[in-house]
Amino acid sequence: MWFKKLFDVLTFLTALVLFTVSSVVAPVVPKSENRSPPPADVRSLLAEANRLSWLENWTAAGPLYARAELLFRAAGDKRNEIYARIGHIRAMGEASAWEDVSRALQKQRENPVVKADSRLRLWCLALKGYTDLDLDTKSAKRSWTEALGIAEGLGEAQWASRAKGELGVIAFLEGNPTRAVSLVGQALLSLVASKDAAGEARLLTMLGDGYNEVHRFAEADWFFQRAISIMESTPDAAFPFNAEVGDAQALAGEGHQAQAEELLAKLLSRAKREKKSWHETDALIALGELAIKAQDMERARGFLERAGELSKIFHLYRDQAMVMIDLAGVYRIQGNLKSADAAVKVGLAASRHVGDRYYLPRNLTAAAELKVAENEPKQADLLFEEAEDVIDGMLLNQHTDYGKAALAGSMSETYLKHFHLVQEQGNVARALHLLERVRGRASASRLYEPRDSTSDSPARAALEANIAAVQVSLLATEDQKARLALQDQLLQNERTLAFEDNELPRTQWSWLAPASLVSVQKVLRKDELLLEYVLDDPHAFCIAVTANDARIIQLPAGSRQIQDLTASYLRELKARSSSQRLASDLYTVLLKDATQAFHQARLIVVPDGILNFLPFEALTGADGKFIVSSTVVSYVPSATALWVLRTAKTGPASRPLLAIGDVDYADRRVSREPRPSPSWAPAVLRDLAELSSSHLQNLPESRQEVLSIARIAGSDSQVLLGRDATETAFKAQPISQYRVVHLAVHAIADSQYPDRSALVLAADNPPEDGLLQVREITRLHLNADLVTLSACQTGVGPTEGEAGAISLEQAFLMAGAKAVVA
């Protein structure tokens, strides 16, 4: 059994990794130094046991190791007898406690014969490293670190690769995702090169679990399916149970609850039938968590209590920590605080025993919630603070912008629960500080980082060119077989690019402290009111801040009601009709109390959840008029981002305008079929890597739009029109010198792969593809007072919990624009 859930930062693969179906290479059998070598069939028996164990098929390998141990003993071959015994001990873990296996392997490790033989020591260390990963992270790290040194010294490249992969997992558990990416990346490349099917599938499964963890379920499914395919196509390989469980969780995340439960039920039955209690535990935990999401607490309790019993019997500490924390939440909701308290204590003890950092915030948050329920706010506050400090440490070690947002979003519950505790105490400054620890800090931090557009390495430039070429090919073909191959190739290049970015050195501004209430108030003008929303049940809130006042307002509705109202109103807007009642109801819930308490003419909204897609201007006040008729509304991802934008020391741009319009779309083809999405969602265009294409229509009015703006801006304006409006021409401009950038073009919003969202420019020549994508925009060096995205869907994108939405609009803010119209 091994660690199930890894984090989004492991986001890379190469073409070789994704397309290889590995063959089997078994570990080397140590040569006998016995004067009378055992019969060849005994050595063949050991070789077959090794082949099966290398494929994770310990059930089949175990009896062979046991038989080989006896035969080597009879032949007087002490060395190979010990080798076979070590394999037999590990195989016994299929039916006994891992802790017993770990102790038995440690005893063998201390054997003088093992100490004196490097290959025997490597074998013992590797199996102990695998075993201890679920028992004691520090012990596993010691084993794998020593194993790596021995493997490299012996020239055992396969074992060295596996050791690096396991050390990458451990680096993640220690809260160092950047090192984890490097190690797992190196390991994966080597495992594929050596045709190590089980090693490759293991890391692919880990990547899938990481995507599940940050709720990118479609991508997770992609990795699980490949891991399953590799193992199923490899003769005698173990059943890919972990990948199957992960795939079930991905299905549930995509809304296929019944299908996920059916798959988990089959996996549970199989685990029971084969008497594999650790797999049974995993399936039970997954079923329990699905029941919690369905708010069926009694059913969840049944699954989790059984999982708790098994994890205790077999000393599965990481599973025990997870299941007991889940159980504590169920007990607390059911009002059984005594049982909840006992479960939390067991869960925290198991978590400390394992020594992970990644799940520590989750466990501390559960303990804090229980202290709140027990009316011990001071203890709860300390536990929340400890959890947030751990999260900040992990974010500091995350290099990619999307990775920071995804991690912060996945940890949102900690900040949200803490906010509730603090707001009850009426501490506005601290409540704002808590939200700002998670909201928009990735984008705000990026604004502080120096940019050098010429710093791309040759490898990165080549990958960007490959991505562009693949996307051009996707736009040009409707052959489904070819498109499937191109989709995979695109994802491979993107993952490899993420790995390349991970290796770049970071600046000292890699993580910015949140702005304080006083700092935010200093940058607000007298006529501005900042409204920062918090959606939760049973109550939602708004922190209202002016230059000289601040208060927390409890809204007259909870999150669920607000989401329903907002979704209904967005459906009306999508249908090009407007419900006066919905517009008025949303005003009453979201704005009435704040606008009655304050009378500023300008609103700055920090939205939460579905509110990221709500045009507050279209709400109607008590007078029946739209808000926009009397109030200027603008939006920021966080108060910290506003503070950064208004305090950043940048010189004025020297040129007035760069404008693009009247793009010739005659040769441009993009998909127009919408993804399955909520009925209220904007009509998001389909990802370029999917479905057949259709022609885009030209935007004839955009020519007059751009020329009119250029006349106003002055003669020093730069205008790109028609076939000249290419990505190459845009990037050739001294972009940091323009005060205003105006783009009147088509746009593509991709909710599944937000880095692919793009502004569509004219057909281009290699190495460009005419798609100015989020990934490229965030690397621009803007100094613009205003960027206008005169295109549909530029404010559309996925939300990452309290970390906010990811969109083209946000990309331009991260690139340095002081304001974006989208």
Side-chain angles (χ1 to χ4, degrees):
M1 177 179 165
W2 50 280
F3 173 55
K4 301 188 307 171
K5 293 186 175 180
L6 278 184
F7 170 60
D8 173 85
V9 296
L10 305 180
T11 54
F12 64 91
L13 286 175
T14 63
L16 184 60
V17 170
L18 294 177
F19 278 112
T20 300
V21 177
S22 302
S23 63
V24 180
V25 180
V28 175
V29 180
K31 296 178 180 178
S32 174
E33 294 177 351
N34 192 58
R35 287 173 297 178
S36 177
D41 59 339
V42 181
R43 296 188 61 82
S44 298
L45 184 69
L46 183 58
E48 177 64 5
N50 279 338
R51 186 184 73 85
L52 292 168
S53 68
W54 198 248
L55 293 170
E56 302 293 338
N57 193 345
W58 287 97
T59 300
L64 302 184
Y65 279 124
R67 177 65 177 158
E69 181 184 357
L70 293 174
L71 292 173
F72 281 123
R73 183 183 305 158
D77 187 341
K78 188 67 175 178
R79 188 188 195 196
N80 277 337
E81 177 193 346
I82 294 173
Y83 187 98
R85 183 184 307 137
I86 290 170
H88 184 206
I89 289 169
R90 166 58 186 85
M92 288 192 298
E94 302 293 285
S96 58
W98 282 113
E99 211 164 48
D100 294 339
V101 174
S102 179
R103 280 195 291 265
L105 289 171
Q106 179 61 30
K107 183 179 178 179
Q108 295 302 314
R109 182 179 174 184
E110 294 167 358
N111 187 314
V113 176
V114 175
K115 286 183 176 181
D117 189 297
S118 296
R119 293 184 185 277
L120 275 178
R121 198 160 75 252
L122 171 60
W123 176 234
C124 190
L125 285 166
L127 297 193
K128 193 170 191 305
Y130 280 129
T131 303
D132 286 354
L133 190 59
D134 281 286
L135 300 174
D136 183 340
T137 304
K138 290 182 179 179
S139 175
K141 183 178 182 179
R142 288 193 298 270
S143 293
W144 281 115
T145 300
E146 186 179 349
L148 176 60
I150 294 172
E152 290 178 335
L154 293 172
E156 289 279 1
Q158 288 180 301
W159 274 122
S161 298
R162 285 201 173 192
K164 285 182 180 179
E166 298 305 310
L167 287 170
V169 174
I170 292 167
F172 167 76
L173 293 171
E174 292 177 332
N176 192 342
T178 298
R179 177 166 170 74
V181 169
S182 295
L183 287 170
V184 174
Q186 296 170 38
L188 199 48
L189 291 171
S190 299
L191 291 170
V192 172
S194 63
K195 302 185 183 301
D196 183 347
E200 181 184 348
R202 178 180 171 87
L203 293 187
L204 289 172
T205 301
M206 291 178 178
L207 290 165
D209 284 328
Y211 279 109
N212 269 348
E213 192 69 18
V214 293
H215 302 161
R216 291 167 66 177
F217 300 112
E219 291 169 271
D221 177 73
W222 194 87
F223 285 104
F224 291 130
Q225 288 299 319
R226 274 151 183 75
I228 292 167
S229 176
I230 287 172
M231 295 300 276
E232 287 182 343
S233 62
T234 302
D236 298 322
F239 178 74
F241 196 94
N242 293 299
E244 294 280 2
V245 171
D247 198 37
Q249 293 169 321
L251 285 170
E254 291 187 284
H256 306 297
Q257 183 89 7
Q259 190 177 347
E261 289 189 8
E262 181 181 356
L263 175 55
L264 286 171
K266 290 179 180 178
L267 294 171
L268 180 60
S269 177
R270 177 171 185 148
K272 288 180 177 179
R273 184 173 64 253
E274 296 179 0
K275 297 181 180 180
K276 294 186 176 178
S277 299
W278 61 98
H279 288 332
E280 184 180 349
T281 304
D282 291 345
L284 286 166
I285 292 173
L287 284 165
E289 291 180 344
L290 289 186
I292 290 173
K293 291 177 182 178
Q295 299 184 342
D296 188 345
M297 296 303 162
E298 196 59 33
R299 190 161 179 258
R301 193 177 99 180
F303 287 130
L304 294 172
E305 285 180 342
R306 176 57 181 156
E309 292 169 3
L310 290 171
S311 65
K312 181 179 179 181
I313 292 170
F314 291 95
H315 303 167
L316 306 174
Y317 289 108
R318 184 170 288 110
D319 277 353
Q320 188 176 38
M322 185 179 299
V323 72
M324 296 313 290
I325 293 301
D326 281 344
L327 258 180
V330 171
Y331 289 144
R332 179 176 52 79
I333 291 171
Q334 292 182 328
N336 188 349
L337 297 185
K338 183 178 179 180
S339 293
D341 188 62
V344 163
K345 288 178 180 177
V346 173
L348 287 176
S351 181
R352 284 192 289 268
H353 185 95
V354 176
D356 297 344
R357 285 182 64 80
Y358 180 75
Y359 282 113
L360 184 58
R362 172 184 182 269
N363 299 341
L364 291 170
T365 298
E369 286 186 274
L370 184 57
K371 291 301 179 184
V372 171
E374 294 173 340
N375 197 27
E376 296 184 37
K378 289 185 179 179
Q379 290 297 315
D381 190 60
L382 290 172
L383 289 165
F384 279 128
E385 283 281 0
E386 185 180 353
E388 289 151 6
D389 288 342
V390 173
I391 296 170
D392 268 6
M394 289 192 290
L395 289 168
L396 187 63
N397 284 318
Q398 170 56 265
H399 282 185
T400 66
D401 301 316
Y402 194 12
K404 279 188 171 74
L407 175 55
S410 69
M411 299 287 186
S412 292
E413 184 178 352
T414 296
Y415 300 93
L416 196 57
K417 300 300 182 184
H418 198 185
F419 169 84
H420 278 281
L421 176 65
V422 171
Q423 68 83 23
E424 288 177 358
Q425 301 167 348
N427 190 332
V428 182
R430 191 142 183 259
L432 182 67
H433 172 79
L434 287 173
L435 294 178
E436 291 301 307
R437 286 189 78 166
V438 66
R439 287 190 174 178
R441 287 177 70 192
S443 55
S445 296
R446 181 63 184 264
L447 294 174
Y448 262 94
E449 292 188 1
R451 294 175 180 80
D452 182 0
S453 60
T454 64
S455 63
D456 277 0
S457 66
R460 196 182 195 288
L463 286 166
E464 288 282 13
N466 289 343
I467 289 172
V470 172
Q471 291 185 148
V472 168
S473 297
L474 274 167
L475 295 175
T477 182
E478 296 185 10
D479 179 82
Q480 288 304 304
K481 185 176 180 180
R483 292 183 68 79
L484 286 172
L486 288 167
Q487 289 172 35
D488 279 347
Q489 192 177 342
L490 177 61
L491 191 56
Q492 294 151 21
N493 285 323
E494 289 173 335
R495 295 296 170 261
T496 310
L497 181 61
F499 173 67
E500 186 74 19
D501 286 343
N502 180 75
E503 300 301 288
L504 294 174
R506 294 289 98 180
T507 70
Q508 61 178 326
W509 300 110
S510 59
W511 196 234
L512 181 71
S516 67
L517 175 60
V518 172
S519 297
V520 174
Q521 288 180 310
K522 285 182 178 179
V523 300
L524 287 175
R525 304 180 182 100
K526 295 296 183 182
D527 63 345
E528 290 179 331
L529 169 63
L530 183 140
L531 301 175
E532 184 150 349
Y533 288 89
V534 182
L535 298 187
D536 201 15
D537 283 312
H539 303 295
F541 300 89
C542 173
I543 299 181
V545 182
T546 67
N548 52 26
D549 196 3
R551 67 187 70 174
I552 300 173
I553 298 172
Q554 181 175 309
L555 302 180
S559 176
R560 189 166 301 174
Q561 184 179 348
I562 292 173
Q563 289 187 62
D564 289 343
L565 284 171
T566 305
S568 296
Y569 191 41
L570 290 174
R571 278 193 292 270
E572 291 287 333
L573 295 178
K574 184 177 178 181
R576 302 192 177 221
S577 61
S578 177
S579 169
Q580 182 75 18
R581 179 186 61 80
L582 288 171
S584 177
D585 287 349
L586 281 167
Y587 169 82
T588 300
V589 170
L590 298 173
L591 291 175
K592 182 179 179 181
D593 290 346
T595 54
Q596 286 183 347
F598 302 95
H599 304 285
Q600 277 71 10
R602 295 176 179 271
L603 294 181
I604 302 174
V605 176
V606 181
D608 187 19
I610 195 173
L611 299 183
N612 281 280
F613 309 115
L614 177 67
F616 279 68
E617 300 92 329
L619 306 185
T620 55
D623 57 3
K625 295 181 179 179
F626 289 116
I627 296 301
V628 72
S629 65
S630 60
T631 307
V632 176
V633 183
S634 57
Y635 305 84
V636 289
S638 68
T640 298
L642 177 69
W643 175 76
V644 170
L645 288 166
R646 290 189 173 180
T647 58
K649 296 179 180 179
T650 58
S654 58
R655 303 181 68 173
L657 173 73
L658 170 63
I660 294 179
D662 193 31
V663 176
D664 186 352
Y665 289 113
D667 298 323
R668 306 298 286 160
R669 297 161 66 86
V670 299
S671 169
R672 298 287 269 177
E673 185 174 337
R675 294 181 178 281
S677 60
S679 58
W680 56 263
V684 181
L685 289 181
R686 194 75 196 221
D687 169 10
L688 289 179
E690 298 185 10
L691 299 186
S692 59
S693 300
S694 60
H695 288 286
L696 285 175
Q697 299 298 315
N698 286 343
L699 301 170
E701 299 297 329
S702 67
R703 181 180 184 85
Q704 186 59 37
E705 175 184 333
V706 165
L707 292 175
S708 297
I709 295 169
R711 283 194 293 270
I712 296 171
S715 58
D716 200 22
S717 298
Q718 176 66 52
V719 175
L720 301 175
L721 298 171
R723 293 183 180 272
D724 295 329
T726 63
E727 184 180 2
T728 298
F730 176 83
K731 289 181 176 178
Q733 296 298 316
I735 192 72
S736 63
Q737 296 180 21
Y738 290 103
R739 293 195 298 274
V740 176
V741 178
H742 185 97
L743 299 111
V745 296
H746 279 299
I748 300 168
D750 192 322
S751 59
Q752 182 176 342
Y753 300 97
D755 276 356
R756 295 180 187 174
S757 294
L759 299 173
V760 186
L761 305 181
D764 214 332
N765 296 315
E768 304 297 352
D769 54 14
L771 300 171
L772 186 62
Q773 296 180 295
V774 163
R775 181 190 68 257
E776 299 168 295
I777 294 166
T778 56
R779 293 175 63 82
L780 298 175
H781 187 185
L782 294 175
N783 190 27
D785 294 324
L786 175 67
V787 172
T788 302
L789 305 180
S790 183
C792 296
Q793 306 167 24
T794 48
V796 173
T799 57
E800 294 290 346
E802 293 304 309
I806 297 175
S807 64
L808 286 160
E809 174 188 25
Q810 187 197 55
F812 278 97
L813 283 174
M814 292 175 71
K818 297 180 180 65
V820 180
V821 175

